[in-house]
Amino acid sequence: MVSSTPNEAFDLPQHTNGKDSDAGLSSSLDDRRSNRPKNAEDTQYDTPEDSSPSRFLYLLITVLAIGGFLFGYDTGVIAGALLPIKEEFGLSSQQQEFVVGGTTLGAIIGGLLAGALSDIVGRKPVTLLSSIIFVVGAALMTFAHHYWLLLLGRVVVGVGVGLAALVVPLYIGELAPSAYRGRLVTMNVLLITGGQLVAYLVSSALTDVKDGWRWMMAISALPAILQLVTLPFLPESPRYLIKKGDIPAAEAVLRRCMGISDANDAYITKEVDAIRESLELSHKTRYKDLLRKSLRRPLIIACGLQLWQQLSGFNTAMYYSATILKMAGFPNAKSATLFSLLIAGTNMLMTMVAIKIIDRVGRRKILLVTIIGMIAGLIVLGVAFIMISGFTVKQDECVQYNDNCAACLTDDRCYFQDATNTCQDMGWNGEGKRPLYDGVCPNRTQGIKAGSWLALASLVFYVASYGLGLGNAPWLIQSELFPLDIRGKATGMATACNFAGNLVISLTFLTLTQRITATGTFWLYAGILVIAWLFIYYLVPETAGLNLEDIQELFREDSVLDSSPTSVIPTHECSASQGSQDEPRRRRGQGSQEL
């Protein structure tokens, strides 16, 4: 699953084209800048007491966060829908991978379009467009009676996911007062995981219902329609209005969102100046600036963490959880989907815990500890599958599975014939599809065996470890590594790495389970995580407790080959005037890194 952090959402530079983008950005800055500190990035103004988020802002953010909910629901619903879809359409393993990966492919397309579109027409129209796309995609999937139409619906929904993934946190971050931005953007993150949980609940309720998977898809249109009806009455982002030169409208939106009276115009003016200076900075950078020596290592860290997040195999647990549990011996789609709820609930709960502790414990330490937990969970999961089905790869013929019922049923060509205690080919029915087989292995008829329970427990432990570490830390770290003027472009590249890794995992999981067995696949992910642990240990510094200037100072004199695992603070000291006030932060940063 892809999400955005508060800093990333607010600081994302805009891809500007045309002279109108620069209109008004430089006017009156010079005569005001004398009253402002040099570095806008590290500047904070005293917020008036009555500038806490207004009820209007909470309403606006709730409407916007529906996009995050749809992101979570449409990526999570396939976990429960895949088994009945496979049975109805007679899908091969590769076709199932395409159905799952179609949303990720669409998200890449949507993500590439979102930045430019939001700059051209504004944040609100792009959010509305994503809602329309969610409704169209839901309709295509609901009424699909052919595989290719179903696949098209998944890709269309993915485009909506890509648009929402970028523009919703961006929109929220630009509306929220700086003092409350983190917790307000976190509403979107929580609604993504909440959307996944609701998708699992709906899947569990509708698994045994006729055409239940179609209802699962249709339900996703309802929140999108709600957003379509309510959002037109709400305002555009003040950052976009300032970019277009409409300063009075931007000031009115800021005042209404912050609940500030006309008596506090000075504060609003400072907020407007900060946004204008941020926009001016973002216009001066190009992607080639990422090749600067001081930015190479941060870029490698940001892209690497996003790749490890996906190559860890976590999204197989989200997209294929019911399939994995069915493979693990849970006797039918209903029970597999029901227990998948535990996985989604664990992910949401651990995400909430991570938000609470990540600043106190430290990003680096929490990653190093939780990745060890993920590795342990995957190793035990592999052992559980050996207990269930042995270490049996896909055979050329079904009869070659002999009496290994569990391995037989993981092959979509085969069924287990109880009378002869052998694995047989199902053949084809008159419609060119595999006939349905709802049987279970003879040794499972008395209940779920120990290996299956071990598989569920290890999968939950793996997901819990992910939710505490890799699920959140990469987004937070990447928002801290780069200067303001280049941050949006850098985090955009890192996010592209996330989507690319997601697509690779989505399109290969079932194929890998057949080529190298489920055990081999989970142990492969564990091996990748060992490399990720080494990457973090040698390349990723601790950033907790450091201000943005200190973090960027870490890399100014480092080359990409400087891999000291304990290099948290540069050897040279900051200026004396700053040293005393930053010393507590530095000590906290160093303390968090010790492991």
Side-chain angles (χ1 to χ4, degrees):
M1 182 193 77
V2 182
S3 60
S4 298
T5 60
N7 288 332
E8 177 188 357
F10 180 71
D11 293 327
L12 198 65
Q14 313 309 312
H15 313 279
T16 54
N17 295 301
K19 296 179 181 177
D20 65 325
S21 301
D22 297 317
L25 292 183
S26 299
S27 62
S28 74
L29 264 181
D30 292 336
D31 57 341
R32 290 175 178 173
R33 197 170 281 157
S34 60
N35 297 321
R36 288 173 49 79
K38 271 188 176 181
N39 191 347
E41 183 178 5
D42 291 326
T43 303
Q44 291 186 340
Y45 297 102
D46 292 334
T47 306
E49 290 181 3
D50 61 346
S51 67
S52 59
S54 63
R55 291 181 181 179
F56 172 77
L57 179 59
Y58 279 117
L59 172 64
L60 176 54
I61 289 177
T62 300
V63 173
L64 289 176
I66 292 173
F69 177 87
L70 288 167
F71 180 169
Y73 185 93
D74 281 307
T75 54
V77 72
I78 195 61
L82 188 59
L83 290 174
I85 287 174
K86 171 193 171 185
E87 293 177 351
E88 178 166 334
F89 289 93
L91 302 184
S92 66
S93 294
Q94 188 175 56
Q95 288 174 318
Q96 292 176 67
E97 289 171 340
F98 285 150
V99 168
V100 172
T103 298
T104 305
L105 177 61
I108 294 173
I109 298 170
L112 291 173
L113 295 174
L117 280 176
S118 65
D119 285 337
I120 294 169
V121 301
R123 281 56 161 146
K124 186 165 82 170
V126 175
T127 306
L128 288 168
L129 176 62
S130 70
S131 296
I132 294 171
I133 291 173
F134 279 126
V135 173
V136 172
L140 286 172
M141 293 184 295
T142 300
F143 299 106
H145 291 281
H146 298 283
Y147 166 70
W148 291 109
L149 189 58
L150 174 66
L151 184 58
L152 176 62
R154 290 288 293 169
V155 174
V156 169
V157 162
V159 174
V161 167
L163 292 174
L166 186 144
V167 79
V168 170
L170 176 67
Y171 199 168
I172 294 174
E174 292 174 356
L175 288 165
S178 57
Y180 297 89
R181 189 173 301 124
R183 72 188 71 174
L184 292 175
V185 178
T186 298
M187 286 176 61
N188 184 60
V189 178
L190 289 177
L191 276 175
I192 292 173
T193 57
Q196 291 172 334
L197 181 59
V198 170
Y200 278 59
L201 285 167
V202 170
S203 299
S204 177
L206 297 176
T207 297
D208 291 337
V209 175
K210 180 177 172 57
D211 290 329
W213 71 267
R214 296 183 186 277
W215 286 105
M216 297 176 202
M217 302 301 176
I219 287 171
S220 67
L222 299 180
I225 292 171
L226 176 62
Q227 190 175 56
L228 276 173
V229 171
T230 54
L231 191 57
F233 299 99
L234 300 173
E236 178 56 88
S237 154
R239 185 181 176 102
Y240 177 77
L241 293 171
I242 290 170
K243 180 186 168 192
K244 293 301 181 182
D246 194 350
I247 306 300
E251 290 177 341
V253 172
L254 286 169
R255 186 175 290 108
R256 192 175 181 190
C257 288
M258 297 181 185
I260 294 178
S261 65
D262 292 341
N264 288 307
D265 275 349
Y267 176 77
I268 294 296
T269 300
K270 290 176 181 179
E271 285 289 310
V272 170
D273 279 354
I275 294 171
R276 294 172 79 167
E277 186 163 346
S278 171
L279 285 167
E280 192 176 64
L281 282 171
S282 70
H283 291 190
K284 297 177 181 178
T285 58
R286 299 291 182 267
Y287 279 98
K288 66 179 181 180
D289 293 330
L290 288 169
L291 299 177
R292 294 201 306 258
K293 186 177 181 181
S294 62
L295 293 177
R296 273 180 256 163
R297 183 176 170 190
L299 186 63
I300 289 172
I301 290 171
C303 290
L305 287 175
Q306 293 291 1
L307 278 174
W308 301 132
Q309 184 190 75
Q310 294 302 321
L311 297 181
S312 69
F314 169 76
N315 275 329
T316 63
M318 296 308 296
Y319 300 156
Y320 295 104
S321 58
T323 302
I324 292 170
L325 293 175
K326 183 80 183 294
M327 291 164 57
F330 289 84
N332 51 51
K334 176 74 173 179
S335 63
T337 303
L338 186 62
F339 283 111
S340 296
L341 277 171
L342 184 59
I343 294 170
T346 299
N347 183 41
M348 184 176 183
L349 176 63
M350 290 301 105
T351 297
M352 296 171 69
V353 173
I355 291 170
K356 289 283 187 182
I357 69 171
I358 196 166
D359 286 318
R360 184 171 70 252
V361 176
R363 294 90 159 106
R364 184 176 185 271
K365 178 180 285 187
I366 206 169
L367 280 171
L368 291 173
V369 172
T370 56
I371 285 178
I372 293 173
M374 292 177 70
I375 293 170
L378 287 169
I379 291 173
V380 175
L381 184 58
V383 172
F385 269 89
I386 290 178
M387 295 169 60
I388 295 164
S389 60
F391 202 82
T392 307
V393 299
K394 184 176 181 179
Q395 302 296 312
D396 295 332
E397 301 289 341
C398 291
V399 294
Q400 293 177 300
Y401 291 109
N402 299 314
D403 61 351
N404 189 335
C405 176
C408 172
L409 294 187
T410 61
D411 192 324
D412 50 26
R413 304 167 301 166
C414 310
Y415 77 100
F416 195 78
Q417 190 175 78
D418 296 346
T420 61
N421 200 37
T422 59
C423 188
Q424 301 292 329
D425 195 308
M426 286 191 291
W428 301 88
N429 62 20
E431 299 176 356
K433 300 177 182 177
R434 295 286 185 184
L436 303 184
Y437 175 70
D438 296 324
V440 297
C441 293
N443 61 355
R444 296 181 192 162
T445 56
Q446 300 303 315
I448 301 168
K449 299 299 181 181
S452 302
W453 289 117
L454 181 62
L456 176 62
S458 57
L459 192 58
V460 169
F461 183 76
Y462 162 76
V463 169
S465 299
Y466 172 90
L468 278 174
L470 269 180
N472 293 278
W475 298 104
L476 179 56
I477 290 172
Q478 79 173 28
S479 72
E480 298 172 325
L481 293 179
F482 303 98
L484 176 64
D485 60 342
I486 199 71
R487 186 175 301 150
K489 294 178 176 65
T491 55
M493 290 188 66
T495 302
C497 291
N498 182 289
F499 277 125
N502 190 338
L503 185 62
V504 169
I505 289 296
S506 301
L507 294 178
T508 58
F509 172 69
L510 291 179
T511 300
L512 282 172
T513 60
Q514 293 181 347
R515 303 289 185 189
I516 61 174
T517 74
T519 294
T521 302
F522 296 127
W523 286 356
L524 172 64
Y525 295 153
I528 291 172
L529 281 171
V530 170
I531 300 173
W533 192 93
L534 293 172
F535 175 92
I536 292 165
Y537 184 78
Y538 284 105
L539 280 181
V540 179
E542 181 57 78
T543 59
L546 303 178
N547 62 33
L548 295 176
E549 184 179 339
D550 286 338
I551 293 169
Q552 289 148 29
E553 187 70 22
L554 299 178
F555 304 106
R556 285 193 183 124
E557 295 186 359
D558 285 347
S559 70
V560 72
L561 298 177
D562 181 7
S563 58
S564 170
T566 57
S567 177
V568 179
I569 304 301
T571 53
H572 56 281
E573 295 296 330
C574 291
S575 62
S577 62
Q578 195 175 8
S580 59
Q581 71 180 59
D582 283 347
E583 189 60 29
R585 289 196 189 100
R586 294 174 184 277
R587 283 197 294 268
R588 285 199 302 273
Q590 285 175 313
S592 297
Q593 176 160 346
E594 293 171 5
L595 185 69

